[in-house]
Each structure stands twice: as structure tokens, then as C-alpha cells.
């Protein structure tokens, strides 16, 4: 009995329309607004890309004592603004004439680009591979992450170590926000809260990473023999369940922290002080 889904006999067809796949005339059978999720993801990521690109190449308004933008920290070039007690490491001399943000953003950016959740986000949002569950992708063939350049996604575990170092520097920057504009300790402004929220979300996102979960509890034959690692693995697993939420929250918070510093440095308003 014919069901209308027998394998297609068309020659030359590839992908989901190849001879070995069921012959379903419709592109998909979903009746909900499945396109909203990938469209929203693409819009959110595109907004961050545009904003971060502008700020990275601006090379201005990224420091207002005692706050330094997370996009420019640590500052590794000689052309960085002088930040008293801040993360000034003049590794690159006067020959570096571009924005110092370009020297450091490659590490957190590489960590996020190769992150398992972000892969899903931009694969669906930009490449439509696939755009949604039960919706065929428009590509003729699928090779996964076995070929260049997508095979480079496997370096995610190494970007994790750099991400931890960057998070450590941002933690130091957050501690420095408890100074006033004259570098005196024992003060707290609205910016201090902005930086505190940001660093908590940055660490939560970083620690909830699948690579961190594997480092903590991977390759163990008997959890009973490693109770400490087992407990840590459980804690990381709890965070990992919220990896998507933490990915978006930390992405928004780091942009807001940078924008807050930009507003202060450009003279838009003064940082409200609590004490």
C-alpha cells in the first residue's frame, strides 16, 4: 500500500531529497511559528556582533577610573590608556597602532564561537543547518565538523583555559572598582554593581562549559574513588543545565559593562556613588 513517503526515485537529488530518504513533498509538516526562535537568535547575535565590532575598533572611551571595559582588559599594547593599578601589560610596543582590544578579544570570542551552545545558535540562526527541529536544511549535503574550517571547533577545550585566564583578569578589574576616581579604596559606585553582576555571570558561563565538566569529572572509571571530583562534577552539571541561559546572560552583561564604561568615559553622566 502506497503511503506517499516511499523513497524518491529522482536522480541527482541530494540531501534530504536523495533517493534513500522519504519522499515528503512538503518542506516540513510543522504548523507553529518555528522560524521565530532562529530569527530571534540571529537578531540577538547580530546585534552583539555589530556593537562589539564598533567598540573593538573604536579605541576610545574604554577607561574611566576606576572602571575599565571588559573588551579592553587586559590591555596588552603600549598605546593603552594608563590605568593606575589596572591590567596594563605592554607586551606589544609602539609598532602596534590598532585598537588594543583586538589583541585580547580573540580569546573570549574564540571560546564563545566554539562553545557547543553557540554552535547550535549560529548554525540554526545564520546557516539554517538545520533551522529548526523537523525542518529540512537547504544545503545539498552535510559533512558535519569533519572538514576545514568547522573541524577547528575541536579547539574549544583549549580556548577554555584562555577564557579562565581572562575571567581571572576581569575578577581583578571588578575588585578595582571598589576605589574612587582618585584610586582610594573603600568606595562603591553603581559601576561596581554592574561589574559584580557581569563577573558572576562570566564565571557561571565559563564553569558551566562542557569542557569544564569533562575536566572535572571526565575519564573517571569509578566516581566512588574520587568523591571530591564527583561532587564538583555534580555542581558543574547543575550549571551546565542552564548553559544556554548563562550564555545569553553573560553576553548581555559584558556588553552592558562595556557600554557603562563608554557612557562614563564619554562624559554622558557621572557614576552614582553609594559610599
Amino acid at each position: 500500500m502506497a503511503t506517499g513517503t516511499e523513497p524518491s526515485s529522482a536522480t541527482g537529488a541530494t540531501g534530504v531529497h536523495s533517493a534513500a530518504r522519504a519522499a515528503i513533498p512538503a518542506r516540513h509538516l510543522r504548523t507553529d511559528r518555528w522560524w521565530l526562535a532562529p530569527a530571534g537568535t540571529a537578531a540577538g547575535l547580530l546585534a552583539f556582533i555589530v556593537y562589539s565590532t564598533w567598540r573593538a575598533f573604536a579605541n576610545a572611551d574604554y577607561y574611566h577610573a576606576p572602571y575599565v571595559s571588559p573588551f579592553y582588559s587586559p590591555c596588552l599594547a603600549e598605546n593603552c590608556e594608563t590605568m593606575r593599578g589596572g591590567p596594563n601589560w605592554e607586551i606589544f610596543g609602539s609598532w602596534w597602532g590598532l585598537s588594543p582590544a583586538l589583541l585580547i578579544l580573540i580569546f573570549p570570542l574564540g571560546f564563545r564561537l566554539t562553545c557547543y551552545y553557540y554552535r547550535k545558535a549560529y548554525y540554526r540562526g545564520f546557516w539554517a543547518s538545520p533551522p529548526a527541529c523537523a525542518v529540512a536544511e537547504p544545503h545539498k549535503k552535510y559533512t558535519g565538523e569533519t572538514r576545514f574550517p568547522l573541524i577547528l571547533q575541536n579547539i574549544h577545550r583549549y580556548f577554555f583555559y584562555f577564557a579562565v585566564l581572562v575571567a581571572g583578569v576581569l575578577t581583578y578589574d571588578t575588585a578595582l572598582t571598589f576605589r574612587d576616581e582618585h584610586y582610594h579604596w573603600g568606595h562603591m559606585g553603581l559601576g561596581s554593581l554592574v561589574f559584580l553582576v557581569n563577573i558572576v555571570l562570566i564565571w557561571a558561563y565559563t564553569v558551566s562549559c562542557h569542557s569544564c565538566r569533562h575536566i572535572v569529572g571526565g575519564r573517571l572509571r569509578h566516581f566512588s574513588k574520587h568523591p571530591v571530583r564527583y561532587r564538583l562534577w555534580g555542581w558543574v552539571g547543575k550549571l551546565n543545565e542552564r548553559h544556554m541561559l548563562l550564555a545569553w546572560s553573560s553576553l548581555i552583561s559584558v556588553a552592558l559593562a562595556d557600554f557603562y564604561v563608554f557612557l562614563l568615559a564619554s562624559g554622558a553622566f557621572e557614576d552614582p556613588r553609594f559610599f
Side-chain angles (χ1 to χ4, degrees), residues 5-69:
T5 59
E6 286 77 13
S8 171
S9 59
T11 58
T14 58
V16 297
H17 301 294
S18 64
R21 304 295 291 270
I24 302 176
R27 181 168 175 239
H28 59 82
L29 301 178
R30 294 184 60 167
T31 58
D32 62 320
R33 296 181 180 179
W34 58 267
W35 49 271
L36 284 177
T41 297
L45 291 177
L46 184 61
F48 180 81
I49 291 171
V50 171
Y51 173 79
S52 59
T53 301
W54 164 58
R55 289 294 292 142
F57 283 93
N59 194 19
D61 299 326
Y62 58 85
Y63 180 67
H64 183 82
Y67 308 114
V68 56
S69 164

Side-chain angles (χ1 to χ4, degrees), residues 92-262:
F92 292 81
S94 58
W95 59 270
W96 180 264
L98 301 177
S99 170
L102 302 178
L103 296 171
I104 192 62
L105 281 180
I106 186 175
F107 299 110
L109 180 62
F111 179 60
R112 288 185 183 263
L113 280 177
T114 57
C115 165
Y116 291 113
Y117 168 70
Y118 279 111
R119 294 187 210 180
K120 170 188 172 182
Y122 60 76
Y123 282 177
R124 291 189 172 189
F126 292 101
W127 297 349
S129 179
C133 293
V135 178
E137 60 181 78
H139 310 288
K140 292 183 178 181
K141 61 181 180 179
Y142 174 76
T143 58
E145 297 174 342
T146 61
R147 297 181 180 179
F148 183 85
L150 295 186
I151 196 172
L152 296 179
Q153 302 281 30
N154 293 319
I155 64 177
H156 176 65
R157 69 194 69 177
Y158 303 108
F159 271 120
F160 168 76
Y161 298 109
F162 288 105
V164 170
L165 292 176
V166 172
V169 174
L170 296 183
T171 303
Y172 174 72
D173 293 343
T174 302
L176 295 182
T177 65
F178 290 89
R179 304 180 301 177
D180 61 12
E181 63 275 13
H182 304 294
Y183 307 101
H184 298 148
W185 288 94
H187 300 274
M188 179 179 181
L190 178 59
S192 304
L193 288 180
V194 173
F195 273 66
L196 272 175
V197 171
N198 177 58
I199 195 58
V200 168
L201 291 174
I202 289 291
W203 273 115
Y205 166 66
T206 304
V207 174
S208 69
C209 168
H210 295 77
S211 293
C212 179
R213 191 166 183 256
H214 177 73
I215 292 171
V216 171
R219 305 185 69 177
L220 292 181
R221 292 181 179 272
H222 306 286
F223 277 128
S224 59
K225 295 182 179 180
H226 304 273
V228 175
R229 291 185 64 184
Y230 175 67
R231 178 162 294 186
L232 292 174
W233 180 80
W235 290 344
V236 173
K238 291 294 183 182
L239 285 175
N240 184 258
E241 294 175 3
R242 296 168 175 80
H243 196 49
M244 179 182 73
L245 175 62
L246 294 172
W248 279 106
S249 299
S250 59
L251 193 72
I252 294 172
S253 71
V254 73
L256 288 178
D258 170 81
F259 187 64
Y260 189 83
V261 175
F262 166 75

